[in-house]
Amino acid sequence: MRLRSRKAVFTAFKAELADGCGYQGSRGALDTMVLVDVIRLDEAQMAGYAAMWGCANAYMRTKPGYVGASLYRTLDLGNPIKFINLAEWESTEVFFAALDTPEFMAIIGPYKDDFSLYLSSKRTQVASAALAEAK
């Protein structure tokens, strides 16, 4: 399904979890950064990309500030969007520090031009924290 406005195209993305933790958002963190990475590839590149993502995620898990990540693979191979990566970090600063390394650049290699990163700050109200403040 595609919805169109004057300046944007919205595409329904039916997917399955291909790798990662099954993103549900952090529990307990008050401020985090959420990354949405929309990946457009040819079908022939999908297996290689998924393997690269697994290596990149294993590397990122070792970095300070990493919260979690999930890679979702399209169920509709006709969709130009083949994957969506959702990742959560404690801040944009720690995310970019982990990204800006020769090791990470070596891992992503031929896919480095396929990233479409969207970053968002996330504020979460934790019930127990709110109750503690109310007392």
Side-chain angles (χ1 to χ4, degrees):
M1 167 198 304
R2 298 187 95 148
L3 302 174
R4 293 190 184 271
S5 73
R6 286 198 235 265
K7 297 180 182 179
V9 175
F10 300 92
T11 302
F13 186 74
K14 295 178 184 172
E16 64 185 356
L17 181 65
D19 199 351
C21 61
Y23 180 78
Q24 296 179 9
S26 63
R27 309 230 188 258
L30 293 177
D31 290 307
T32 59
M33 185 277 302
V34 175
L35 160 109
V36 178
D37 184 12
V38 177
I39 299 100
R40 291 174 172 84
L41 299 169
D42 293 329
E43 186 178 344
Q45 296 175 288
M46 290 177 67
Y49 185 89
M52 177 281 302
W53 188 91
C55 294
N57 190 45
Y59 172 77
M60 291 301 200
R61 278 195 309 263
T62 69
K63 298 299 173 196
Y66 173 89
V67 176
S70 299
L71 182 66
Y72 291 91
R73 175 181 42 235
T74 185
L75 294 175
D76 174 10
L77 295 178
N79 191 329
I81 299 170
K82 300 301 189 229
F83 295 100
I84 292 181
N85 170 30
L86 298 174
E88 189 168 359
W89 288 79
E90 289 177 0
S91 70
T92 54
E93 293 79 16
V94 295
F95 168 67
F96 284 115
L99 198 71
D100 191 23
T101 64
E103 297 86 0
F104 183 74
M105 290 298 144
I107 292 168
I108 65 171
Y111 299 98
K112 68 182 176 189
D113 295 329
D114 295 314
F115 291 86
S116 299
L117 303 179
Y118 304 92
L119 308 178
S120 174
S121 294
K122 177 182 163 192
R123 233 177 168 58
T124 313
Q125 184 74 17
V126 180
S128 59
L131 289 174
E133 282 183 19
K135 289 182 180 180

